[in-house]
Structure formats: C-alpha cells, structure tokens
C-alpha cells in the first residue's frame, strides 16, 4: 500500500470528454487522480495505448491529476504501456466461465502465473476486483483466488457495493481480503425488482445509486479502513443507473 490515502475517480462515465477536460473536472471535484479506462471508444484505447497513455499523463499533470490505475485488458501492450508510463495498477475482474466456478479459479490462477514475469518486468500490479453476478463476487472469493500471490504483483481491488450486493459485512470482508488489498472501490446500489409483485418468480437487478442510499455503508467502510490504518487508493467509480445525474451525484458523493 502507499504511504498515504488518495482519492481516485473512475472516468468511464465520460467517454466523450478529452483528457484535458477530464483533468479539469477531476481537479475541480477534488480528487487526487483517476482510474483511466483503456477500452474501445475512449481517448486511450488498446490500439493507441503505447502512444496516448504517456500523452494523457502529461496532460493530466498540468491539472495536478495522476493516473492511479488503468481499467483494461492484461495484454502485453497494455502492461508495457502502464509500466513505461509509471501507472502502478491494471484493474481487471474475474468472470466465471462456462466451465464453472472451481474450474475458473484454477484456470485464472494458471493465467496469473503466466502473467507474473511480464508484470514483474514492467513493474505493474494486476488488481483483481470482485463483481456481483457471475464473477468472483466477494472478499472470500478474492482471498481464495489470490492466496499465495504477492499483492505487489497481483492484489485485490475490493468493491464495497458489489460486496454488499452479495451479502458480506464490510468489517468481515476487509478482514478477509486485507492481506491482498491494493485498492478500495466505493459506489453503492440496491436490489430492485424487475417484474411485478404478482409475478410467480421474482427477478431482480442492481440499481446504482448515491453513496448514502445503498446497501453498502460507506460510514462503516471508512471506519474500518481508518481502524486498520489503510494507506492507499480509494476510487469512487461514479456508476449510477440514472446516468443523466452522474455529474451531480459524483459531486455529492
């Protein structure tokens, strides 16, 4: 972990903004830096990452904003670009394949093993995030997946909202994932029924809302992080179902 607490903003909700505009907005909102999506349709994408990532870092620096992490694919081009640019963390998730949960865990650990030399050569950490649904979804799952790996190489990005949707208490979740923790994600959600109450089989979906309104208690998360003296990056991911309100909601959060 770093030697101080830093706040990051995931800029996925603003694909149309230039890097300069993202820098201005991030600084105005009071964040120290960002998580930058390196994905198709964004200013920095897999096809131009080697050229555009260093340019993005230089532009953001003029606004006193850094890139704490990249959300992208753990391929050689992206890892090399992160390493050359000094971006410490590449965030990924762990989707469960058709071969099932246990087989996926074994397969992903083989993939992690194969990535270790590349990560080490470029001094980049892989941050694996829990995600509700058909993913490794909670702290217990992350611990099982990541046990044995040096968190400086492959660590956990613990997401409080996805964790709450899957039912772990935040204090217990942080205890479980603590040896592997490299970053904390804050957003919030509730389960909302998709079909009518009279329907025999209920269907539910996550409704992404403001920090104060969801299942994840940001107050309890903050209290536990302070108790454990967490020094690292807390990323607000700015995910809201009401996308028209994203600017207002993230400012409030």
């Amino acid at each position: 972990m770093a030697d101080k607490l830093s706040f990051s903003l995931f800029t996925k909700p603003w694909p149309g903004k230039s890097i300069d505009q993202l820098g201005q907005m991030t600084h105005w909102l009071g964040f120290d830096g960002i998580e930058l999506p390196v994905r198709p349709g964004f200013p920095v994408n897999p096809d131009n990452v080697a050229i555009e990532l260093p340019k993005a870092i230089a532009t953001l620096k003029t606004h006193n904003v850094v890139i704490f992490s990249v959300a992208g694919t753990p391929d050689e081009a992206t890892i090399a670009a992160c390493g050359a640019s000094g971006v410490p963390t590449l965030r990924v998730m762990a989707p469960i394949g058709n071969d099932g949960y246990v087989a996926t865990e074994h397969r992903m650990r083989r993939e992690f093993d194969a990535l270790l030399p590349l990560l080490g050569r470029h001094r980049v950490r892989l941050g694996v995030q829990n995600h509700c649904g058909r993913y490794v979804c909670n702290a217990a799952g992350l611990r099982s997946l990541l046990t044995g790996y040096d968190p400086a190489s492959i660590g956990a990005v613990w997401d409080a909202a996805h964790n709450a949707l899957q039912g772990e208490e935040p204090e217990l979740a942080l205890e479980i994932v603590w040896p592997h923790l490299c970053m904390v994600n804050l957003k919030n959600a509730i389960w909302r029924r998709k079909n009518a109450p009279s329907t025999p089989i209920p269907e539910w979906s996550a409704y992404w809302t403001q920090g104060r309104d969801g299942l994840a208690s940001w107050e309890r998360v903050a209290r536990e992080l302070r108790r454990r003296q967490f020094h690292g990056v807390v990323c607000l991911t700015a995910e809201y179902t009401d996308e028209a309100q994203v600017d207002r909601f993230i400012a409030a959060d």
Side-chain angles (χ1 to χ4, degrees):
M1 296 180 192
D3 58 0
K4 70 182 185 71
L5 190 66
S6 301
F7 287 91
S8 181
L9 173 66
F10 187 29
T11 59
K12 175 185 171 182
W14 301 277
K17 285 188 182 293
S18 68
I19 297 297
D20 186 61
Q21 290 171 326
L22 289 175
Q24 292 181 41
M25 179 187 71
T26 302
H27 180 73
W28 179 82
L29 286 168
F31 289 91
D32 303 299
I34 66 170
E35 177 170 280
L36 184 73
V38 175
R39 296 172 177 172
F42 288 88
V44 183
N45 58 65
D47 294 330
N48 66 20
V49 62
I51 296 171
E52 295 301 325
L53 185 57
K55 291 181 181 179
I57 288 171
T59 299
L60 292 167
K61 188 176 180 180
T62 66
H63 301 288
N64 294 316
V65 171
V66 302
I67 298 178
F68 289 115
S69 55
V70 152
T73 303
D75 53 42
E76 185 167 4
T78 303
I79 292 171
C82 287
S85 301
V87 176
T89 301
L90 172 60
R91 181 179 64 83
V92 298
M93 292 177 289
I96 306 303
N98 293 331
D99 49 353
Y101 192 102
V102 174
T104 295
E105 184 177 275
H106 292 322
R107 174 169 39 79
M108 292 204 73
R109 288 179 64 89
R110 291 194 297 271
E111 293 171 1
F112 292 162
D113 291 344
L115 282 173
L116 282 173
L118 189 62
L119 295 167
R121 185 159 65 249
H122 294 286
R123 297 184 180 180
V124 174
R125 172 175 52 208
L126 196 67
V128 185
Q129 181 209 314
N130 59 301
H131 192 290
C132 69
R134 200 175 172 85
Y135 291 82
V136 172
C137 63
N138 56 23
L142 287 176
R143 184 183 180 98
S144 177
L145 179 63
L146 301 178
T147 291
Y149 292 107
D150 183 345
S153 298
I154 302 179
V157 177
W158 179 71
D159 190 294
H162 286 292
N163 198 91
L165 287 168
Q166 300 290 213
E168 275 180 340
E169 295 295 309
E171 297 85 359
L172 298 180
L174 283 166
E175 177 190 352
I176 290 165
V177 81
W178 187 255
H180 310 278
L181 187 64
C182 66
M183 194 163 76
V184 171
N185 277 0
L186 284 183
K187 54 180 175 278
N188 225 331
I190 58 172
W191 287 115
R192 175 179 280 188
R193 186 160 178 164
K194 295 165 60 177
N195 52 5
S198 58
T199 308
I201 300 176
E203 296 180 3
W204 304 87
S205 64
Y207 183 89
W208 299 97
T209 185
Q210 290 181 265
R212 64 190 181 190
D213 294 331
L215 291 168
S217 169
W218 285 17
E219 180 181 2
R220 289 171 63 187
V221 171
R223 187 185 306 122
E224 185 64 12
L225 289 174
R226 289 183 65 182
R227 188 184 74 81
R228 290 179 172 273
Q229 300 181 5
F230 175 74
H231 298 297
V233 176
V234 174
C235 182
L236 273 67
T237 63
E239 184 172 351
Y240 307 102
T241 299
D242 187 354
E243 295 179 356
Q245 302 298 322
V246 63
D247 289 1
R248 182 169 69 87
F249 286 171
I250 190 58
D253 278 347

